[in-house]
């Protein structure tokens, strides 16, 4: 069996860094695509030239077209504009809609059996758009957000408690907006519920920082948005799929009645394996949690309506 083929569309901050993590993990050969001339080629060659130093075997090539992407097992789509200070993810909708429609058509024509991982914002809406435009089964189109959002929550908990990030398990539901729903009740440190370890006010403060975590980075960077943690999160999904790990991770997928929601792409716990999003794991929520999920779903629905598809 040859190596897997991973195409990454958009060779900007998220795309190029995703290529870096994927190459280091030897997940497969990588094709980096961008409309900017020379950028994907230059970044790919530079990354490949790092391979003798780091000792990874992966072919990395860059292109402005899609021929090289032919027969990809997995395609990560990061093409599009990021946020600047003062912008919400929804402000990107019109611009990124056009980009995603073109990109998905090109990708699907050459890799009809691929699994698509969407990264472009507004994430839930772009995942819905990619699902509809690709015509792929729902198991093969998903979006990255929940892993990033839980990673932020875990990072803030680790800082607060001075414990290893490795021992923290966290769960989060909902859309990738400031109305996302971190679930402290399902968050543990080595199995010990967070609610037994920190007072409610502290947890609330960490939840609030998590919700605004993307904006915190945008306000610091000023010219763009986060990319190290987002690209690492996308590659965690890629790894779970390419190695058929059956990991349970929060991902944005199409819901058809699960969690009481229909015809929406939304963040829920998903089993990731070789077939993509192989199962959706439902859980019992309290009335308060249900309300928060409903509010988040309402924002995503509104955004999907604006797509007019
Ligand atoms: P960036 O501006 O560094 O890179 C985007 C790249 O897409 C640019 O190189 C641009 O030339 C390319 N591009 C634009 N139109 C294209 C087309 N038609 N075909 C191919 N490439 C095209 O932006 P960055 O920081 O990499 O972010 C990318 C996207 O990911 C943004 O929409 C951002 O909001 C989103 N994002 C989503 C996250 C999530 O949690 N889902 C987290 C971080 C970013």
């Amino acid at each position: 069996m040859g190596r897997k083929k991973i195409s990454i569309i958009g060779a900007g901050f998220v795309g190029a860094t995703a290529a870096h993590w994927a190459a280091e993990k030897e997940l497969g050969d990588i094709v980096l695509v961008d409309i900017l001339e020379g950028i994907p080629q230059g970044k790919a060659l530079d990354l490949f030239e790092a391979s003798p130093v780091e000792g990874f075997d992966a072919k990395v090539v860059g292109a402005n077209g899609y021929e090289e992407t032919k027969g990809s097992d997995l395609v990560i789509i990061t093409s599009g504009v990021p946020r600047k200070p003062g912008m919400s993810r929804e402000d990107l909708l019109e611009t990124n809609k056009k980009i995603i429609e073109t990109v998905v058509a090109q990708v699907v024509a050459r890799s009809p059996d691929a699994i698509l991982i969407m990264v472009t914002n507004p994430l839930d809406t772009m995942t819905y758009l990619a699902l509809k435009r690709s015509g792929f089964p729902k198991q093969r189109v998903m979006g990255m957000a929940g892993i990033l959002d839980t990673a932020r929550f875990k990072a803030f908990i680790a800082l607060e408690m001075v414990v290893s990030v490795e021992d923290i398990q966290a769960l989060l539901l909902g859309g990738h907006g400031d109305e996302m729903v971190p679930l402290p009740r399902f968050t543990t440190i080595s199995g010990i519920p967070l609610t037994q370890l920190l007072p409610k006010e502290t947890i609330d403060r960490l939840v609030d920082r998590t919700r605004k975590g993307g904006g915190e980075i945008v306000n610091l960077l000023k010219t763009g948005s986060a990319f190290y943690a987002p690209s690492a999160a996308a590659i965690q999904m890629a790894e779970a799929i390419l190695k058929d790990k059956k990991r349970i991770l929060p991902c944005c997928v199409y819901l058809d009645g699960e969690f009481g929601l229909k015809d929406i792409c939304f963040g829920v716990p998903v089993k990731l394996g070789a077939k993509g999003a192989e199962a959706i794991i439902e859980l019992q929520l309290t009335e308060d949690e249900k309300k928060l999920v409903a509010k988040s779903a309402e924002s995503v629905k509104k955004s999907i309506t604006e797509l007019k598809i």
Side-chain angles (χ1 to χ4, degrees):
M1 199 181 71
R3 288 191 204 140
K4 299 282 189 183
K5 184 165 177 179
I6 307 158
S7 289
I8 301 176
I9 318 302
F13 282 101
V14 177
T17 318
H20 180 181
W21 299 115
E24 279 228 281
K25 287 174 182 279
E26 294 188 329
L27 294 186
D29 289 335
I30 299 164
V31 183
L32 206 48
V33 176
D34 202 290
I35 44 170
L36 299 176
E37 266 175 51
I39 297 291
Q41 294 88 343
K43 288 188 181 179
L45 182 59
D46 186 19
L47 178 55
F48 181 67
E49 288 168 359
S51 64
V53 183
E54 286 295 313
F56 57 80
D57 284 306
K59 208 171 117 195
V60 192
V61 297
N64 296 121
Y66 286 79
E67 276 322 297
E68 293 281 353
T69 68
K70 212 168 165 202
S72 296
D73 297 287
L74 186 93
V75 181
I76 302 175
I77 300 183
T78 76
S79 47
V81 289
R83 283 199 280 173
K84 299 224 166 64
M87 288 173 94
S88 84
R89 294 177 181 92
E90 290 307 317
D91 294 334
L92 310 172
L93 191 132
E94 277 308 313
T95 312
N96 287 349
K97 177 188 174 188
K98 292 191 194 92
I99 295 174
I100 293 309
E101 286 187 319
T102 331
V103 165
V104 167
Q106 301 276 3
V107 163
V108 165
R110 290 164 187 85
S111 302
D113 300 318
I115 290 173
L116 305 185
I117 299 179
M118 300 301 299
V119 179
T120 305
N121 273 317
L123 188 271
D124 308 272
T125 317
M126 291 301 122
T127 305
Y128 185 90
L129 180 64
L131 174 71
K132 295 290 168 186
R133 289 291 185 253
S134 65
F136 281 7
K138 60 182 180 180
Q139 288 79 4
R140 287 204 278 124
V141 183
M142 64 196 86
M144 183 292 295
I147 300 175
L148 169 65
D149 298 328
T150 44
R152 286 183 174 141
F153 192 36
K154 289 178 192 176
F156 301 149
I157 293 168
L159 278 179
E160 183 75 29
M161 297 193 56
V162 195
V163 295
S164 167
V165 288
E166 281 187 62
D167 294 325
I168 306 175
Q169 284 286 337
L171 186 61
L172 175 147
L173 291 173
H176 185 52
D178 294 355
E179 279 160 353
M180 65 181 79
V181 190
L183 294 172
R185 214 161 57 85
F186 295 95
T187 300
T188 68
I189 322 277
S190 265
I192 309 161
L194 182 67
T195 45
Q196 290 186 19
L197 297 172
L198 285 177
K200 184 173 179 308
E201 306 75 65
T202 311
I203 295 176
D204 287 348
R205 174 165 52 78
L206 302 182
V207 163
D208 188 56
R209 190 174 175 195
T210 302
R211 286 210 178 102
K212 298 175 184 151
E216 185 177 358
I217 306 274
V218 172
N219 287 334
L220 289 166
L221 295 180
K222 300 205 170 56
T223 52
S225 55
F227 56 99
Y228 286 114
S231 55
I235 293 305
Q236 185 170 66
M237 291 170 70
E239 184 172 27
I241 292 165
L242 294 168
K243 295 188 180 168
D244 194 22
K245 285 174 79 90
K246 317 284 189 203
R247 292 203 63 180
I248 308 291
L249 294 165
C251 303
C252 172
V253 290
Y254 184 80
L255 300 184
D256 189 20
E258 297 90 349
F259 291 88
L261 297 168
K262 257 184 185 288
D263 198 32
I264 185 172
C265 285
F266 201 63
V268 292
V270 169
K271 188 199 281 187
L272 287 186
K275 294 193 179 72
E278 296 184 352
I280 292 169
I281 318 287
E282 291 198 70
L283 45 130
Q284 298 280 329
L285 299 175
T286 64
E287 286 309 312
D288 282 350
E289 289 162 349
K290 279 185 195 160
K291 270 186 211 144
L292 293 172
V293 168
K295 195 164 171 234
S296 174
E298 208 177 293
S299 309
V300 175
K301 276 271 187 194
K302 186 165 166 270
S303 173
I304 287 175
T305 310
E306 275 169 36
L307 278 177
K308 300 186 188 77
I309 55 167

